[in-house]
Amino acid sequence: MDHLVPTVEQDRQRMTDRLFLDDLHVGQRFASASHVVDADQIKRFGAEFDPQPFHLDEDAAANSLFAGLVASGWHTAALTMRLLLMGGAPIAGGIVGAGGEIAWPRPTRPGDALQVVSEVMEIRPSRTKPDKGIVLLRSETRNQRDEVVQVLTAKLVVPRKPQASASPSEPTLEDVVAGTNTHVGHVVRHDSAYDWEAAPWAW
Amino acid sequence: MDHLVPTVEQDRQRMTDRLFLDDLHVGQRFASASHVVDADQIKRFGAEFDPQPFHLDEDAAANSLFAGLVASGWHTAALTMRLLLMGGAPIAGGIVGAGGEIAWPRPTRPGDALQVVSEVMEIRPSRTKPDKGIVLLRSETRNQRDEVVQVLTAKLVVPRKPQASASPSEPTLEDVVAGTNTHVGHVVRHDSAYDWEAAPWAW
């Protein structure tokens, strides 16, 4: 864990180099620090959140469909979040996600050194909240063999620079939300669950 | 944590009541046990994986856009996984996810009692691997006020009953993968990252 704690210098840099919505452009890329996952971390996370044999015990895991100990996908996701905060996405105001898509093409295994490489895919200022917007950020979490263990495409809430928020541009937040709801299609029944405008922390 | 550890009885029940692909039907619903999240759990997860002020300290959080301490979305996701394993999705072979969509309509706060209610949305036997299939499971994580704090639509790998795997049916796994890739569209460049057939643990 110790090597995951940011130094004072890293914290200072994060404050001064942070990027507002207006500083971002489509195609912009970021690379995080790296983090080595060991068996103890995998088992500890597994015991607390995902207690299945292939996350808990080498012998039991050897006989599972994974043929060895693997990290919970949610552990990979949590470590990805940590790496995004360690230079992986130097966003002003921190990293606030409204949701996204996640895939685990292959599992994380003990000894893997994970790094997150991200790219800005879309930037959408909000029509109703002129001080912020949504950024679609695609983040690949890769191991030391450059194999992708996770792909996360996240919708991040990013503040605008105060002086740049006078004339919000199209497309609108409603387009983003509509696009999301269109995709999930019939699985969205409880529209109130998607009332983004009512979520004060996001919009 | 103690109340999250399954009892022997729960473990036994999980082994005997588990459902194969052939036991599931669209519209089938499951409800998990519940889990109360406290401030210590929120801060501990935050310190390890998501060290932003609104996950770490009440005073700092009070001045943030959340106006109070909130759990990391990834903490809510990890707790949802734990609850899915506690009766929330009694799937044979455990809960193995290939990915999915996640949204956090509102944050989890200290004292929230979370429960996961899930519904089977789609069932797709694999064409190439007759012993398993993909199930699309939509899981709402709700607090004690019945407010939805997370919606997860996950693609789960579910084994078929041994005697039922002779004649796999359409639509195929390729349809599922194609559907996924169509949605993420231009954000998918590294096709190898989506080489599901090459992922031995999933297909």
Side-chain angles (χ1 to χ4, degrees):
Chain A
M1 266 301 295
D2 284 358
H3 53 304
L4 276 182
V5 176
T7 63
V8 171
E9 172 58 27
Q10 284 172 322
D11 263 347
R12 195 182 61 77
Q13 193 175 23
R14 197 165 64 199
M15 293 302 289
T16 53
D17 294 352
R18 59 190 187 168
L19 301 173
F20 289 88
L21 192 76
D22 314 270
D23 300 318
L24 299 172
H25 61 267
V26 171
Q28 197 164 0
R29 292 171 69 91
F30 309 104
S32 76
S34 73
H35 171 68
V36 177
V37 188
D38 64 30
D40 283 348
Q41 293 168 32
I42 288 174
K43 294 176 190 174
R44 186 162 53 84
F45 190 99
E48 183 163 3
F49 297 114
D50 194 349
Q52 303 191 82
F54 33 77
H55 303 318
L56 296 173
D57 178 83
E58 280 86 351
D59 291 340
N63 296 318
S64 75
L65 73 170
F66 294 102
L69 193 70
V70 297
S72 168
W74 301 110
H75 192 186
T76 300
L79 288 169
T80 297
M81 182 65 200
R82 191 60 172 90
L83 290 169
L84 286 172
L85 289 170
M86 292 174 68
I91 306 294
I95 300 182
V96 178
E101 285 194 35
I102 194 165
W104 298 291
R106 56 183 66 75
T108 298
R109 295 183 182 274
D112 278 0
L114 301 184
Q115 184 186 27
V116 181
V117 177
S118 300
E119 182 171 340
V120 175
M121 307 309 298
E122 290 184 41
I123 303 170
R124 302 201 178 198
S126 168
R127 185 183 60 178
T128 53
K129 304 287 174 68
D131 61 338
K132 57 189 78 171
I134 283 276
V135 169
L136 199 67
L137 189 74
R138 182 181 191 278
S139 298
E140 289 189 352
T141 307
R142 302 175 183 171
N143 64 24
Q144 68 280 10
R145 292 176 298 280
D146 221 33
E147 297 166 338
V148 177
V149 296
Q150 179 182 288
V151 181
L152 171 67
T153 305
K155 285 183 294 193
L156 304 181
V157 181
V158 178
R160 304 194 71 176
K161 281 182 178 168
Q163 68 272 25
S165 59
S167 55
S169 47
E170 302 296 332
T172 69
L173 166 65
E174 286 68 28
D175 296 330
V176 180
V177 175
T180 304
N181 285 354
T182 298
H183 173 68
V184 291
H186 60 283
V187 303
V188 177
R189 284 90 31 92
H190 304 276
D191 286 340
S192 62
Y194 285 87
D195 187 3
W196 299 91
E197 292 289 334
W201 56 274
W203 288 96
Chain B
M1 267 302 295
D2 283 358
H3 53 302
L4 278 180
V5 176
T7 64
V8 171
E9 172 57 27
Q10 285 172 323
D11 264 347
R12 196 183 61 76
Q13 192 175 24
R14 198 165 64 200
M15 294 302 291
T16 53
D17 294 353
R18 59 189 187 170
L19 301 172
F20 289 88
L21 193 76
D22 315 271
D23 300 318
L24 298 173
H25 62 266
V26 172
Q28 199 164 357
R29 292 171 70 89
F30 309 105
S32 76
S34 73
H35 171 67
V36 177
V37 188
D38 64 29
D40 283 348
Q41 294 168 29
I42 289 174
K43 294 176 190 176
R44 185 163 53 84
F45 189 99
E48 183 162 3
F49 297 114
D50 195 348
Q52 303 190 80
F54 33 78
H55 303 317
L56 296 172
D57 178 83
E58 280 87 350
D59 290 340
N63 296 317
S64 75
L65 72 170
F66 294 103
L69 194 70
V70 297
S72 169
W74 302 110
H75 191 187
T76 300
L79 288 168
T80 297
M81 181 67 199
R82 190 61 171 90
L83 290 169
L84 286 172
L85 289 169
M86 293 174 67
I91 306 294
I95 300 182
V96 178
E101 285 194 34
I102 195 165
W104 299 290
R106 56 183 65 74
T108 298
R109 295 182 183 274
D112 278 1
L114 300 185
Q115 184 186 27
V116 181
V117 178
S118 299
E119 182 172 340
V120 175
M121 307 308 300
E122 290 184 42
I123 302 170
R124 301 201 179 197
S126 169
R127 185 184 60 181
T128 53
K129 303 287 173 64
D131 62 339
K132 58 188 78 171
I134 283 275
V135 169
L136 198 66
L137 189 74
R138 183 181 190 277
S139 299
E140 290 189 351
T141 308
R142 301 174 184 173
N143 63 24
Q144 67 281 8
R145 291 176 299 279
D146 221 34
E147 298 166 337
V148 178
V149 295
Q150 180 181 288
V151 181
L152 171 67
T153 305
K155 285 184 293 194
L156 304 180
V157 181
V158 179
R160 304 194 70 173
K161 280 180 178 167
Q163 66 273 25
S165 60
S167 54
S169 47
E170 304 292 335
T172 69
L173 166 64
E174 286 68 26
D175 295 331
V176 180
V177 175
T180 303
N181 285 354
T182 297
H183 173 67
V184 289
H186 60 284
V187 303
V188 176
R189 283 91 29 94
H190 302 278
D191 286 344
S192 63
Y194 286 89
D195 186 5
W196 299 89
E197 292 289 334
W201 56 274
W203 289 98

